[in-house]
């Protein structure tokens, strides 16, 4: 059995490639509730009310896709050890270990998973003060759902190599993986191609969650699906599309896992379990198309050709 290369402490941030970077930056800062902390010629970095320098990075690209997913490690020494173990397992290491030359700083290493997703393991990122939680805006990113062509291989890699644990299955269609007490920070959905399904942002309470939905309605932005409450994870949900067509979710109340007591469950894929409240109805063809995204070749498309 493969020994995990590191102990992931939390999901830190997500970089999304989008063909509508400017419009999406305006959406996430003026409507969704994040704050721009830095802005460059090709994108922007946005934070929530939590203590992470940024939760979301938007990068201008010809087509939508995943830039990278960033996980927090405890120390630079853990980063060095993760890089050493990844190299020993012939997992591609594309940068580091070393200082991260990017907004948010830190000391990190970037590796590539079997479907070409770039994963950043980083410690000592820039500290920012947590903000007040009175407004109905997100704390930060809480989970990412990824479409995969081989759910078993994806689960094997993220559990065996990254030390994540399976919290629940939704039949053999979805797998929910955790790295701390949150029910899931990554979930995989069996699909026809590799892509981002959606990114979820934590609202502190159900009240914040509903008031956030109200703010979006005030701006003329209606949910693709929701509000409702999922069975797996026990969290509220309401899904929206950003200007680039990528799906973003408000959520609250994610189940907390007691490692000594939790039993992994296989949920049936029926409407009454996908939405315990019965308020959202089944997902529409439109939301399924948005969540399918477009085929994402991952790192192979990002890497520059050799000169």
């Amino acid at each position: 059995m493969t020994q995990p290369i590191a102990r992931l402490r939390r999901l830190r941030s997500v970089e999304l490639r989008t063909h509508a970077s400017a419009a999406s930056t305006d959406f996430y800062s003026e409507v969704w509730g994040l704050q721009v902390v830095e802005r460059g010629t090709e994108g922007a970095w946005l934070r929530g009310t939590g203590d992470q320098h940024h939760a979301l990075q938007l990068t201008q690209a010809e087509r939508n896709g995943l830039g990278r997913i960033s996980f927090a490690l405890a120390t630079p020494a853990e980063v060095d050890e993760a890089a050493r173990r990844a190299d020993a397992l012939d997992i591609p290491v594309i940068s580091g270990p070393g200082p991260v030359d990017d907004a948010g700083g830190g000391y990190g290493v970037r590796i590539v998973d079997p479907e070409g997703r770039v994963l950043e393991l980083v410690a000592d990122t820039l500290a920012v003060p947590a903000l007040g939680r009175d407004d109905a805006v997100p704390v930060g990113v809480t989970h990412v759902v990824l479409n995969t062509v081989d759910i078993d291989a994806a689960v094997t890699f993220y559990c065996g190599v990254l030390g994540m644990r399976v919290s629940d299955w939704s039949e053999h269609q979805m797998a929910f993986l955790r790295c701390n007490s949150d029910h899931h920070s990554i979930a995989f959905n069996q699909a026809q191609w590799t892509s981002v399904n959606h990114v979820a942002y934590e609202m502190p309470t159900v009240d914040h969650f509903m008031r956030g939905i109200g703010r979006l309605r005030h701006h003329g932005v209606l949910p693709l699906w929701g509000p409702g409450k999922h069975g797996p994870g026990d969290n509220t949900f309401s899904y929206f599309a950003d200007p680039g067509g990528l799906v973003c979710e408000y959520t609250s109340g994610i189940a907390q896992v007691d490692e000594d007591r939790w039993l992994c469950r296989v949920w049936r894929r029926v409407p009454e379990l996908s939405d315990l409240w019965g308020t959202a109805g089944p997902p529409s063809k439109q939301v399924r198309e948005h969540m399918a995204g477009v085929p994402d070749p991952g790192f192979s498309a990002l890497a520059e050709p050799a000169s």
Side-chain angles (χ1 to χ4, degrees):
M1 182 176 179
T2 302
Q3 182 181 11
I5 65 173
R7 180 185 174 191
L8 307 182
R9 306 292 173 149
R10 62 182 296 183
L11 174 63
R12 177 178 167 268
S13 63
V14 178
E15 177 192 2
L16 297 175
R17 305 194 315 275
T18 173
H19 63 83
S21 174
S24 293
T25 298
D26 290 344
F27 168 80
Y28 283 106
S29 59
E30 297 174 7
V31 180
W32 194 249
L34 302 179
Q35 293 186 13
V36 174
V37 289
E38 293 196 38
R39 192 188 299 261
T41 56
E42 295 185 351
W45 292 259
L46 301 98
R47 66 165 295 183
T49 61
D51 58 4
Q52 295 297 309
H53 175 272
H54 63 276
L56 174 65
Q57 178 181 349
L58 296 170
T59 300
Q60 182 66 32
E62 291 186 1
R63 57 189 291 163
N64 291 346
L66 178 69
R68 68 181 183 274
I69 301 174
S70 181
F71 294 97
L73 300 189
T75 65
E78 289 189 7
V79 173
D80 288 336
E81 181 65 11
R84 185 191 68 77
R85 293 182 180 181
D87 185 64
L89 293 171
D90 292 326
I91 296 168
V93 176
I94 58 174
S95 70
V100 175
D101 183 19
D102 197 5
Y107 186 91
V109 62
R110 292 179 186 173
I111 64 175
V112 182
D113 82 359
E115 289 183 279
R117 303 179 190 90
V118 177
L119 308 175
E120 179 180 63
L121 312 180
V122 63
D124 287 0
T125 53
L126 294 178
V128 295
L131 304 176
R133 295 189 174 191
D134 292 337
D135 293 335
V137 298
V139 177
V141 63
T142 181
H143 66 257
V144 183
V145 175
L146 302 166
N147 295 320
T148 176
V149 298
D150 189 339
I151 195 169
D152 294 315
V155 169
T156 296
F157 180 88
Y158 278 72
C159 291
V161 174
L162 296 176
M164 303 189 83
R165 285 86 67 198
V166 177
S167 296
D168 283 313
W169 286 85
S170 179
E171 296 187 2
H172 196 236
Q173 179 64 40
M174 292 190 71
F176 300 86
L177 278 60
R178 67 184 184 275
C179 64
N180 51 30
S181 63
D182 287 350
H183 179 270
H184 58 283
S185 55
I186 296 289
F188 285 102
N189 175 62
Q190 180 68 41
Q192 292 183 305
W193 53 71
T194 299
S195 60
V196 177
N197 185 288
H198 70 269
V199 178
Y201 299 82
E202 177 194 357
M203 300 297 262
T205 67
V206 174
D207 181 71
H208 291 83
F209 166 82
M210 292 302 295
R211 287 195 286 126
I213 295 171
R215 182 180 63 252
L216 266 71
R217 285 184 175 274
H218 177 75
H219 283 86
V221 182
L222 301 179
L224 293 173
W225 186 32
K229 187 175 185 179
H230 286 313
D234 199 37
N235 53 301
T236 63
F237 69 86
S238 194
Y239 298 94
F240 299 84
D242 71 16
L246 291 163
V247 179
C248 46
E249 175 192 7
Y250 279 158
T251 187
S252 65
I254 188 75
Q256 295 299 297
V257 171
D258 182 336
E259 293 287 348
D260 294 330
R261 297 173 179 267
W262 188 266
L263 295 176
C264 179
R265 175 178 174 182
V266 179
W267 293 76
R268 291 182 300 118
R269 293 182 63 78
V270 292
E272 60 266 28
L273 296 181
S274 64
D275 175 19
L276 299 178
W277 287 346
T279 53
S284 65
K285 179 181 178 182
Q286 180 190 28
V287 73
R288 291 186 185 278
E289 289 176 348
H290 274 285
M291 287 181 171
V294 295
D296 184 358
F299 178 69
S300 62
L302 301 176
E304 295 181 357
S307 57

